Amino acid sequence: MEAEIGLPPDAEPGMTSKPEYDPQQRTLRQREAAKAQELTAAVMKTSGVTAQRMRQRYRTGGLRALVDGRSQRATSPVGRSDAEVVARGP
């Protein structure tokens, strides 16, 4: 949200944007680049393109859209084994 509107989601009323996220002074791409630098310094190496993708996913799907989808996939009790091998048994 900070790259999108200039303020973090927990912003209190009357709070102003950090200069690097100020929509009046920075383009959206500049704000995304600033977010990428912030994430790289704090948590994980991130590019401007990744920050852009994350912002777009957040815009369309909210926080849930940012969760790694691999953890939400259904799993098979036999894993990635071929069904024919499993049917034959041990």
Side-chain angles (χ1 to χ4, degrees):
M1 275 185 66
E2 199 166 22
E4 181 82 24
I5 63 170
L7 294 171
D10 59 352
E12 295 185 20
M15 189 174 177
T16 59
S17 300
K18 293 179 191 174
E20 62 268 27
Y21 298 116
D22 186 354
Q24 302 298 319
Q25 298 186 19
R26 303 279 187 240
T27 66
L28 182 56
R29 297 295 170 253
Q30 290 172 323
R31 297 190 313 267
E32 289 168 348
K35 182 51 74 178
Q37 289 174 347
E38 184 179 306
L39 289 171
T40 295
V43 182
M44 63 183 172
K45 187 174 182 182
T46 307
S47 70
V49 171
T50 299
Q52 177 185 19
R53 246 185 271 129
M54 291 169 68
R55 181 190 56 77
Q56 290 170 337
R57 288 173 65 188
Y58 182 81
R59 178 191 277 181
T60 60
L63 191 57
R64 186 178 189 112
L66 297 177
V67 174
D68 185 351
R70 293 176 292 186
S71 66
Q72 298 172 352
R73 290 185 194 148
T75 58
S76 167
V78 295
R80 295 173 53 180
S81 301
D82 185 85
E84 192 171 316
V85 173
V86 174
R88 290 185 187 185

